[in-house]
Amino acid sequence: MTRRVYLVVLLLCLRLMCPLATGIFMDKLASKKLCADDDCVYTISLARAEEDYNASDCRFINIKKGQLIYVYSKLVKEKGSGEFWAGSVYGEQYEDHMGTVGYFPSSLVSEQHVYQEANKTVPTT
C-alpha cells in the first residue's frame, strides 16, 4: 500500500513540474513584423520614451521616460491589438538592461532618428 502512495505522490509531483518543462504558451501579438532585414537584427531607428512603461510579461521590456531605445522591428497591427515595437534600451545608466530585446507600446515613444526603412515583412514566430 505504501508503495502505491509513494508512486501517486511521485506522479503528482511530476505533473506539477510539467508546466515548467513545457513552458507557458502565450497568444501572439501579431503574425507579421516590419524589419530592415530578413533576420530583424539591424537597427531601424532610435526612439525616446515619452512615458514610463512596466512590462506586463517576459516578452516586454521596461522603459523609463527619457530613455533611448534601439528599435529592431515593428509589429504589423492587427484587429483588436495594440501597436508594439521590439527594441533594447540604450545608455550607460541602463547598462544592466542593455542587450535585452523586448516589446513596448509604440505610442509611448517618439522616433528620434531613422537609420533605415523597415520595408521587409517577416512572419513572427
Side-chain angles (χ1 to χ4, degrees), residues 29 49-67 69 83-85 89 102-109:
L29 298 172
E50 301 296 328
E51 295 180 37
D52 290 351
Y53 174 73
N54 293 315
S56 56
D57 63 48
C58 61
R59 298 174 292 179
F60 298 87
I61 59 171
N62 295 322
I63 57 175
K64 301 288 181 210
K65 184 177 180 176
Q67 189 173 42
I69 305 157
E83 189 170 341
F84 296 98
W85 293 354
V89 297
Y103 293 106
F104 56 91
S106 62
S107 60
L108 301 182
V109 301

Side-chain angles (χ1 to χ4, degrees), residues 14-27 58-59:
L14 289 174
R15 176 65 182 127
L16 291 173
M17 290 174 29
C18 186
L20 298 175
T22 59
I24 298 171
F25 293 99
M26 299 179 197
D27 291 334
C58 61
R59 298 174 292 179

